[in-house]
Amino acid sequence: MASLSSSSDTPQIQIRFITKQLQYAVPDYPLSVPASVVITELNSLVNELLKESGKLQKEVEFDFLVCSEFLRTTLAEHVGERGISTEDVINIEYLEKHPPPEPQDCLIHDDWVSAVAMCERWILTGCYDNTLHLWTAKGKHQLTIPGHTSPIKAVAWISLTGDNGVFVSASQDQTAVLWKWNVESNSVESVHVCKGHERGLEAVGVNNSSNLMATGAWDTMLKIWSISLDDTEDGESASKRKKPDCSKTRIPLKTMKGHKEAISGVVWSDKAEVITSSWDHTLKVWDTELGGIKHELAGNKSFFDVDYSALSRTLITASADRHIRLYDPRSTEGTIVKSMFTSHTQWVQSVRWSTVQEHLFISGAYDNEMKLWDTRSPKAPLFDLTGHEDKVLSCNWSNPKYIVSGGADNTVRVFKSKYAVK
């Protein structure tokens, strides 16, 4: 019978193992374990139980959830911190521990890589030398795209169908440019230049329908644009468009005012809802149809980035105080900060959710570190993704198989992620 040895005077806690991964299910009768039990001992116990039931050929490493948080201390400390009585039988949920992401490639650029986005097997990067680049996931450089006159601060894919890709770049030259890429001929054309901001752009976000985008800039304005490639949706008059220098110019559909300082992050949370982060210590939720602010969340430091998860319907933010915070933008009870994640030692610059696992996200910071987090483990990241030799400026996890990050060391680091859809 599986058991954990302990001396007779060691306090015991009654536990019950439960799992959603049925291939690893063990009998759910209560077991007695020492209060000082830690993960390694629980792992041995579950593996022993699985071997007894004939379900296991080789050892499996598990993680353990107690009260919806991963166990990282002794069981007694964990339940004590949460005010749970050790007299009760404590349910411990176990799930297979995933292997760490593997470093796969290092893409060398000529200048700081301040923007990175992935779509299928293509990596799009934006640099401080005003250029865009296209790479394959395997590290082959495909194309250099000039066109901007100042550093590029944000990029986003709009669509990729057959042989045609469409993406947008936002620059400190006060413009966002819509690009059309012919994959087969490997040629790019600038389709529209979006003009309207009075200072450099910092952020761009594309909605789920891929028909609208939002931009945020140092002029504190949030602007909404059509991303149709047709000329019919431009705000310019026909006579104006006949002039050669205006042929590609597009003006915003809406301009929204409310922030007091630069907008640092823009993300769509619904078809008519945008969330912005700003240096003015606030997050704002905007109604893009009515053109106003629906809700505001106040922080105590400048926000440098924000991302929204459609899976968990929550926000994560990057901030100047080294902390990552998780917000429920719809919460009405008590504090709206649901969790805080602290491990970075300097400014956190970029955060991105996994698109397939509701608990996972990544962060990049000025301490040269990328980290992979699980919201159920706020005290420590799952993994440190090292490799950058200078500040991490951007990160992306659009393709579940790859985690990519750009840095002030002029590189993009590519990690192969083992996480897939459950």
Side-chain angles (χ1 to χ4, degrees), residues 397-419:
W397 201 359
S398 303
N399 180 335
K401 293 178 184 173
Y402 297 96
I403 293 170
V404 291
S405 58
D409 57 0
N410 303 359
T411 71
V412 166
R413 302 281 164 166
V414 182
F415 290 85
K416 191 78 188 285
S417 168
K418 299 294 180 71
Y419 293 88

Side-chain angles (χ1 to χ4, degrees), residues 222 258-260 262-267 274-286 293-308 314-319 324-329 336-337 351:
L222 174 67
H259 280 296
K260 293 183 173 67
I263 293 174
S264 56
V266 170
V267 63
V274 167
I275 299 170
T276 53
S277 61
S278 170
W279 281 63
D280 67 10
H281 303 191
T282 69
L283 305 169
K284 294 189 195 298
V285 183
W286 306 79
I293 299 168
K294 290 165 74 168
H295 192 32
E296 181 178 300
L297 310 176
N300 56 359
K301 291 282 180 184
S302 292
F303 290 110
F304 298 138
D305 200 11
V306 61
D307 199 27
Y308 175 80
T314 53
L315 299 173
I316 43 171
T317 61
S319 199
I324 298 157
R325 290 175 176 81
L326 185 144
Y327 293 84
D328 180 352
I336 41 177
V337 179
V351 285

Side-chain angles (χ1 to χ4, degrees), residues 341-400:
F341 305 86
T342 308
S343 175
H344 285 294
T345 57
Q346 294 190 45
W347 280 12
V348 185
Q349 184 63 29
S350 185
V351 285
R352 287 294 177 270
W353 283 105
S354 161
T355 55
V356 293
Q357 298 245 355
E358 66 175 301
H359 298 292
L360 300 182
F361 67 89
I362 53 173
S363 62
Y366 274 31
D367 58 9
N368 310 355
E369 293 279 329
M370 275 264 295
K371 293 177 189 282
L372 171 55
W373 299 84
D374 189 302
T375 55
R376 298 165 295 185
S377 176
K379 289 186 175 172
L382 295 187
F383 302 107
D384 290 337
L385 310 184
T386 57
H388 281 291
E389 292 168 8
D390 206 335
K391 301 185 286 281
V392 179
L393 302 174
S394 55
C395 61
N396 185 265
W397 201 359
S398 303
N399 180 335

Side-chain angles (χ1 to χ4, degrees), residues 217-321:
W218 279 92
D219 62 7
T220 74
M221 300 299 173
L222 174 67
K223 292 180 184 281
I224 308 297
W225 314 76
S226 162
I227 46 182
S228 157
L229 296 186
D230 301 333
D231 280 342
T232 51
E233 303 225 10
D234 282 3
E236 306 283 354
S237 67
S239 61
K240 249 187 165 181
R241 274 204 305 273
K242 284 175 187 168
K243 296 176 189 171
D245 60 334
C246 289
S247 61
K248 293 180 177 178
T249 300
R250 172 163 287 177
I251 63 170
L253 301 173
K254 267 196 181 72
T255 296
M256 290 181 276
K257 188 177 180 179
H259 280 296
K260 293 183 173 67
E261 291 187 50
I263 293 174
S264 56
V266 170
V267 63
W268 292 78
S269 49
D270 211 338
K271 60 182 179 185
E273 189 176 274
V274 167
I275 299 170
T276 53
S277 61
S278 170
W279 281 63
D280 67 10
H281 303 191
T282 69
L283 305 169
K284 294 189 195 298
V285 183
W286 306 79
D287 186 316
T288 60
E289 287 177 352
L290 295 176
I293 299 168
K294 290 165 74 168
H295 192 32
E296 181 178 300
L297 310 176
N300 56 359
K301 291 282 180 184
S302 292
F303 290 110
F304 298 138
D305 200 11
V306 61
D307 199 27
Y308 175 80
S309 169
L311 301 175
S312 64
R313 298 171 68 79
T314 53
L315 299 173
I316 43 171
T317 61
S319 199
D321 62 4

Side-chain angles (χ1 to χ4, degrees), residues 123-143:
I123 302 169
L124 172 66
T125 61
C127 293
Y128 260 69
D129 64 4
N130 317 342
T131 61
L132 290 160
H133 298 265
L134 282 162
W135 305 76
T136 69
K138 292 187 173 168
K140 180 175 180 284
H141 187 258
Q142 204 73 9
L143 195 60

